[in-house]
Amino acid sequence: MTTFWLLAAALIAAATACLLWPLLRRPAPGAAATPERAQLVELYHDQLRELERDLHAGTLSAARHAEARDELGRRLLEEAAGTNTVPAGAGPSPLLAALLLAALPSAAILLYLHLGNPVALWRADDLPAASGSEHQLSGAQVEGMVNQLAQRLREAPGDAQGWAMLARSYSVLERHADAAAAYARAVELAPDVAALRSDYADVLATLNGGALDGAPMAQVRQALALDPDDPKGLALAASAATERGDKQAAIGYWEHLYRLLPADSQTAARIAANLAAARSPDGAAHAAKVTGMVTLSEKAGRTPQPGDTLFVYALPNDGSRMPLAVLRRQARDLPLSFTLDDALALRPGHRLSGHRQVMLEARISGSGSALPKAGDLVGRTGPVAVGTEGIRIAIDGKVEATPAP
């Protein structure tokens, strides 16, 4: 997006310079009158020669000759001075130039915002992704960017890609009702895009307490009808089959999805774990949990308020910030014994049982925000194997302020 606006500014500057140059430059003195003066001089020489002939022929006295020559010279000077006068409006016009300089850039930008498609400039990497890093945007920055995108879509409501981006952003902010509304609009504008319907189903399931039956499953069926190889659609269909106890259907969906993935990818490893759980007669998902104790260390630097929110997360070992399981309590519950399992998953198909190792994190938030903010107290440990018990997490640090992008 920055590159586009820099190029647009350069083009506006070039166009403005082309228009201002003729308005501000000064014409060369006498340049416009050169042909007229040449004609006057030639006429003057002709009349002088005629006077000389009359003088030599005796038809003109010497006194009269001198008087006529002086009169001719005076007329030449007067008429030559008239040809040097610059016509009105032909000189520099600083007022008009100033008006153009003020109006042209603004008019160009307003015209683009009205006739163009500014939402198309927003790319997925302009908004915070679900995966985090130490350079993650702050919650206020994320909210500001999402609000800007929502405002742009009010001005350009026919952009399906923009609505999909807004929906994903709302999902990151855990504003699931807003995400569902944005996905509904995106699906309405682009009904044949399978991935949109799968994402919509995922959000609807979240609003439905994680259950995929009903409206979420209707979107999954339509997604797979449009694209039988849609990855998220297959994962959701497999999760739905597992929920209703149809192991054979779940295995079929997982196998289909596994064949679409590179064998050495992390996603393929997760699907293999899901397949193993589905094929296990004992239900391997029962072992898909981690247990332990969260304590507050003196190294944390301050004592939280009893009503501050305590989050305990299980995160994928690949650096993603989308939790596999989340437990929410209060600081007054410390020290806290915890158990994280698939029952605490935020999304179907994104569960603890699909991973062999996880990172664990405990965070105390005074604002109750699901997004980390500067000053939150935090403790981390891992990677630990799924199924491990007795893990200890000491909250012994603070979330540092993230640098501006």
Side-chain angles (χ1 to χ4, degrees):
M1 183 167 66
T2 302
T3 303
F4 171 84
W5 287 115
L6 288 175
L7 290 175
L11 290 174
I12 292 173
T16 303
C18 292
L19 291 175
L20 294 184
W21 169 247
L23 294 175
L24 294 176
R25 70 184 181 91
R26 296 180 178 275
T34 299
E36 290 82 355
R37 288 209 310 270
Q39 292 177 2
L40 287 174
V41 172
E42 184 64 28
L43 180 61
Y44 173 73
H45 285 300
D46 289 342
Q47 291 180 349
L48 278 179
R49 286 192 288 269
E50 185 176 351
L51 288 175
E52 291 295 331
R53 285 195 299 269
D54 291 343
L55 178 64
H56 288 103
T59 58
L60 188 68
S61 65
R64 181 60 183 159
H65 173 269
E67 183 180 344
R69 187 176 59 186
D70 292 341
E71 176 65 19
L72 184 60
R74 183 183 62 79
R75 282 166 43 201
L76 174 65
L77 289 175
E78 290 177 353
E79 293 181 11
T83 61
N84 284 334
T85 303
V86 178
S93 303
L95 180 59
L96 180 57
L99 289 174
L100 279 176
L101 183 61
L104 186 61
S106 301
I109 294 172
L110 291 174
L111 189 63
Y112 171 72
L113 293 177
H114 179 67
L115 298 178
N117 184 17
V119 177
L121 299 177
W122 288 70
R123 303 175 302 174
D125 54 6
D126 289 328
L127 292 175
S131 60
S133 68
E134 60 182 357
H135 301 295
Q136 194 174 20
L137 295 176
S138 69
Q141 288 172 316
V142 173
E143 289 277 2
M145 295 179 72
V146 172
N147 291 337
Q148 288 179 23
L149 179 56
Q151 177 60 38
R152 289 174 182 269
L153 286 171
R154 282 192 284 271
E155 299 170 359
D159 191 301
Q161 183 180 359
W163 284 108
M165 187 181 298
L166 180 63
R168 295 186 189 105
S169 302
Y170 281 145
S171 294
V172 171
L173 296 176
E174 298 186 355
R175 293 167 56 177
H176 301 301
D178 292 332
Y183 272 127
R185 179 62 176 157
V187 168
E188 179 184 352
L189 293 170
D192 297 332
V193 179
L196 277 180
R197 291 188 177 275
S198 297
D199 289 339
Y200 186 23
D202 196 358
V203 172
L204 289 175
T206 301
L207 291 174
N208 199 29
L212 280 159
D213 57 316
M217 197 59 205
Q219 292 296 327
V220 171
R221 292 192 188 98
Q222 292 184 63
L224 292 177
L226 291 166
D227 181 6
D229 293 336
D230 177 57
K232 178 173 270 191
L234 289 169
L236 293 176
S239 296
T242 302
E243 287 177 4
R244 62 178 182 267
D246 189 349
K247 283 192 174 184
Q248 290 306 311
I251 290 172
Y253 287 123
W254 288 131
E255 287 178 340
H256 187 166
L257 179 55
Y258 186 80
R259 288 193 296 269
L260 299 175
L261 301 171
D264 57 348
S265 68
Q266 292 182 346
T267 304
R270 296 173 194 166
I271 302 308
N274 290 340
L275 272 170
R279 290 168 175 161
S280 171
D282 300 328
H286 291 161
K289 64 180 181 180
V290 290
T291 67
M293 176 78 69
V294 179
T295 59
L296 179 65
S297 170
E298 294 180 357
K299 296 179 181 179
R302 68 176 176 85
T303 302
Q305 296 297 315
D308 287 355
T309 304
L310 169 64
F311 295 98
V312 185
Y313 303 90
L315 301 168
N317 195 30
D318 59 5
S320 170
R321 295 294 299 176
M322 178 56 66
L324 301 167
V326 179
L327 181 65
R328 181 172 179 147
R329 293 291 186 268
Q330 291 184 318
R332 62 168 56 93
D333 298 322
L334 290 170
L336 174 72
S337 296
F338 68 88
T339 297
L340 299 177
D341 55 24
D342 284 352
L344 298 175
L346 292 178
R347 295 186 176 184
H350 191 69
R351 305 183 182 191
L352 207 63
S353 57
H355 295 256
R356 294 174 180 167
Q357 289 188 321
V358 294
M359 302 294 295
L360 298 180
E361 181 175 309
R363 180 172 59 85
I364 299 176
S365 168
S367 65
S369 172
L371 292 174
K373 292 187 176 181
D376 288 356
L377 302 180
V378 67
R380 302 180 178 92
T381 189
V384 299
V386 174
T388 304
E389 298 180 356
I391 301 166
R392 299 190 67 84
I393 306 175
I395 298 177
D396 55 4
K398 292 182 181 179
V399 175
E400 300 296 334
T402 55

